[in-house]
Amino acid sequence: MGNFDGVHLGHRSVIDAARAALDAPLGVITFEPHPREFFAPADHPPFRLMNAESRANRLARLGVDHLYELPFDAVLAGLAPEDFAREVLVRGLGVRHVAVGADFCFGCKRSGNAATLAALGRELGFGVTIAPLIGDGTVEYSSTAVRVALAEGRARDAERMLGHWHRIDGAVLHGDKRGRDLGYPTANMAVDGLHLPALGIYAVLVDVLTGPERGSYKGVASLGVRPMFDGKRPNLEVHIFDFNGDLYGEHLSVALVEYLRPEAKFDSLDALIEQMDRDSARARDILATR
């Protein structure tokens, strides 16, 4: 049980603790929207590493049998820890054992913690495992640490903490179709509501999750506002190498493997295309062994 934003290695240790606790279907209890998102003011910058779709996809990859996304609203936020344990965990979900991280808090105004949950489990008849926080000796693995690494363009450091490449998942949207005219057709994806990694160009791995073109591909992507065309709203534009299919409306999962360079505005379209050629060649080299 937890927020599982990013599903980093610390989260995986909680999932593994639950899996090892007893022979029963493995479920994850999480909250949607993220509690921090629920309480944040309207103008607060996005902080989430994953949208709900991306989180569900990652948890499925880890062998989670059931995902319970509890609607986080004023009613849930106002429950005392004992009421949450009794009404939601026991009567609502019928849990037999719960695993949480050592820093887990729950209940009205975060008044309960992992020790509180363990005491309530003894009273209400379910087991509790408290998984210790983990790290590499220099940094404790956390969603915050992953956000910092991504914001600084350190995709490989983020991968080390996540245990997987940071991914952006979602549907392919219709864009301005400029990429096709430049010789680089792109699949455009929204990044609304997400913490933005460093804006710029990335070598990427692409999983097409739906439709007749389902499969895994390699490519190069631009994450940003497209300064060459006076863009205002960030999005993700993915060019898949040697691909000619139609992806409109299909769902993609795009892994950011390596940050190549920041966004830039060029003197001409020819200069932009020459740089795109260099970016693509470098991305192909980086991804050659992936």
Side-chain angles (χ1 to χ4, degrees):
M1 179 164 59
N3 292 315
F4 296 96
D5 189 26
V7 194
H8 55 67
L9 289 176
H11 295 141
R12 287 174 61 171
S13 74
V14 176
I15 294 169
D16 290 342
R19 181 182 281 115
L22 73 168
D23 184 15
L26 175 64
V28 161
I29 300 169
T30 189
F31 308 94
E32 188 62 34
H34 191 298
R36 178 177 160 188
E37 192 175 14
F38 176 81
F39 288 112
D43 59 350
H44 194 273
F47 68 91
R48 287 183 67 155
L49 293 167
M50 286 179 159
N51 58 25
E53 177 183 351
S54 186
R55 181 177 59 192
N57 289 339
R58 174 52 52 183
L59 292 171
R61 290 173 189 241
L62 296 178
V64 172
D65 299 307
H66 303 289
L67 174 60
Y68 303 99
E69 286 183 349
L70 304 185
F72 196 87
D73 54 18
V75 174
L76 192 63
L79 289 179
E82 53 270 24
D83 293 330
F84 177 84
R86 181 180 296 104
E87 300 302 325
V88 177
L89 298 183
V90 176
R91 294 181 180 172
L93 296 174
V95 299
R96 293 175 55 195
H97 197 99
V98 181
V100 296
D103 58 350
F104 178 75
C105 292
F106 71 111
C108 183
K109 298 181 180 180
R110 296 171 57 87
S111 55
N113 56 25
T116 308
L117 184 65
L120 289 168
R122 290 190 292 271
E123 176 185 336
L124 298 172
F126 60 87
V128 174
T129 297
I130 301 174
L133 303 180
I134 64 171
D136 61 6
T138 59
V139 62
E140 185 178 280
Y141 296 159
S142 67
S143 300
T144 298
V146 173
R147 289 185 196 106
V148 171
L150 290 171
E152 295 176 352
R154 295 185 286 111
R156 293 183 183 271
D157 287 345
E159 187 271 340
R160 179 171 48 82
M161 292 183 279
L162 289 166
H164 56 86
W165 299 113
H166 176 65
R167 288 179 174 268
I168 297 174
D169 292 14
V172 177
L173 309 174
H174 285 276
D176 296 328
K177 299 181 175 60
R178 290 194 184 97
R180 191 175 305 277
D181 295 335
L182 298 173
Y184 283 91
T186 59
N188 300 307
M189 299 168 61
V191 292
D192 299 341
L194 295 178
H195 167 83
L196 289 179
L199 300 186
I201 311 304
Y202 288 83
V204 297
L205 297 172
V206 184
D207 289 341
V208 178
L209 303 177
T210 61
E213 305 292 347
R214 288 180 64 173
S216 297
Y217 304 88
K218 299 175 181 178
V220 63
S222 171
L223 175 64
V225 297
R226 304 170 304 285
M228 190 70 182
F229 304 103
D230 297 321
K232 304 297 182 184
R233 187 174 185 175
N235 75 341
L236 181 67
E237 295 183 312
V238 184
H239 172 69
I240 300 176
F241 296 142
D242 311 313
F243 182 84
N244 294 312
D246 182 0
L247 294 175
Y248 288 120
E250 306 299 352
H251 283 244
L252 271 56
S253 179
V254 181
L256 306 184
V257 174
E258 187 160 321
Y259 183 68
L260 303 182
R261 64 171 176 85
E263 284 194 295
K265 189 168 185 176
F266 296 87
D267 294 334
S268 66
L269 288 181
D270 286 342
L272 170 61
I273 293 170
E274 289 175 3
Q275 182 61 58
M276 292 167 71
D277 290 342
R278 289 191 290 271
D279 295 336
S280 294
R282 185 178 171 199
R284 285 182 185 270
D285 289 341
I286 290 168
L287 300 171
T289 58
R290 300 291 172 186

